[in-house]
Amino acid sequence: RKEVEQDPGPFNVPEGATVAFNCTYSNSASQSFFWYRQDCRKEPKLLMSVYSSGNEDGRFTAQLNRASQYISLLIRDSKLSDSATYLCVVNMNTDKLIFGTGTRLQVFP
Amino acid sequence: ETGVTQSPTHLIKTRGQQVTLRCSSQSGHNTVSWYQQALGQGPQFIFQYYREEENGRGNFPPRFSGLQFPNYSSELNVNALELDDSALYLCASTLVPGMNTEAFFGQGTRLTVV
């Protein structure tokens, strides 16, 4: 079983749609959780950290459920510029980041 | 931009050859990690260097080796290249290891082994 599992997609959604990505992790000792965004042929960039209390940054909302070992990302009012691969990432507090395979999002006009 | 720079950006090597990839970390960051990203996959942790010492290693064979220099720049060396080594190699720098701090990635080196 992979340490971090994501649906690879692609998710094809129209502009303005709301889309949700899910991710599960296998190691209950995981300490930190993130969503990274990766554009085609570019490096990953931190989108947001994920906390048990949930956190929101504009149109983006991330949620962590430690009991279910489940992480989510919600994107509201999708823009064309949101088209990218979204990587779910966990950290064992060693700076070794464990990435999922990524979920590809394509927003169309 | 992140301030993490990698060189070269692209490289083509022949199976069996050796390659050295380079990374300059963000100013003030003393921890560098290397990742391998195969096509369609997420990045996989290779190893981490902290203050010139290896500080953790992923599931990669010994022909993957590294160095960190006093200025915190780093090298990744791969010997006896195999076709499956073709991937995007990313380095990431963080302020210190073991803390929930943001990792800043370089733009990567795309290695093709033929």
Side-chain angles (χ1 to χ4, degrees):
Chain A
R1 183 186 172 188
K2 289 185 180 179
E3 292 181 271
V4 179
E5 298 210 50
Q6 293 182 253
D7 181 344
F11 284 59
N12 297 306
V13 303
E15 276 187 289
T18 295
V19 61
F21 304 139
N22 303 317
C23 162
T24 57
Y25 60 95
S26 60
N27 194 327
S28 59
S30 299
Q31 296 286 321
S32 321
F33 308 88
F34 310 93
W35 285 100
Y36 274 72
R37 170 191 169 132
Q38 187 172 27
D39 292 295
C40 187
R41 304 182 76 81
K42 299 281 191 179
E43 73 275 20
K45 293 184 179 177
L46 179 66
L47 179 65
M48 58 199 306
S49 301
V50 189
Y51 307 110
S52 296
S53 55
N55 49 307
E56 188 172 313
D57 183 1
R59 298 181 294 108
F60 298 83
T61 301
Q63 193 76 46
L64 166 66
N65 184 321
R66 284 188 181 270
S68 302
Q69 296 180 200
Y70 172 95
I71 305 162
S72 64
L73 177 68
L74 184 75
I75 305 176
R76 291 180 299 278
D77 189 22
S78 298
K79 312 290 185 192
L80 295 177
S81 58
D82 293 334
S83 298
T85 295
Y86 291 84
L87 296 157
C88 176
V89 185
V90 306
N91 184 349
M92 302 293 294
N93 209 34
T94 61
D95 272 352
K96 171 189 172 183
L97 299 178
I98 304 169
F99 287 81
T101 54
T103 298
R104 193 154 64 90
L105 172 66
Q106 184 67 49
V107 182
F108 58 87
Chain B
E1 297 301 322
T2 64
V4 180
T5 58
Q6 292 186 241
S7 63
T9 54
H10 295 83
L11 199 54
I12 299 175
K13 287 287 190 177
T14 303
R15 190 172 48 183
Q17 284 187 312
Q18 178 267 342
V19 68
T20 297
L21 310 181
R22 295 178 175 83
C23 171
S24 293
S25 59
Q26 179 144 323
S27 177
H29 285 191
N30 58 23
T31 304
V32 173
S33 302
W34 286 91
Y35 292 83
Q36 179 197 66
Q37 186 174 23
L39 198 62
Q41 301 295 315
Q44 298 293 309
F45 176 75
I46 303 175
F47 42 55
Q48 180 185 90
Y49 279 83
Y50 170 60
R51 292 185 175 177
E52 304 175 57
E53 298 285 330
E54 189 178 288
N55 185 45
R57 189 178 180 93
N59 189 25
F60 281 80
R63 59 189 186 84
F64 286 77
S65 63
L67 282 174
Q68 188 181 30
F69 301 100
N71 65 356
Y72 303 134
S73 65
S74 178
E75 285 183 355
L76 164 65
N77 299 289
V78 187
N79 294 322
L81 283 166
E82 300 176 0
L83 297 179
D84 284 350
D85 295 334
S86 296
L88 179 67
Y89 288 85
L90 296 158
C91 80
S93 75
T94 49
L95 188 58
V96 288
M99 295 185 67
N100 184 16
T101 57
E102 181 176 354
F104 293 90
F105 284 85
Q107 82 281 13
T109 294
R110 192 164 296 279
L111 173 65
T112 302
V113 182
V114 297

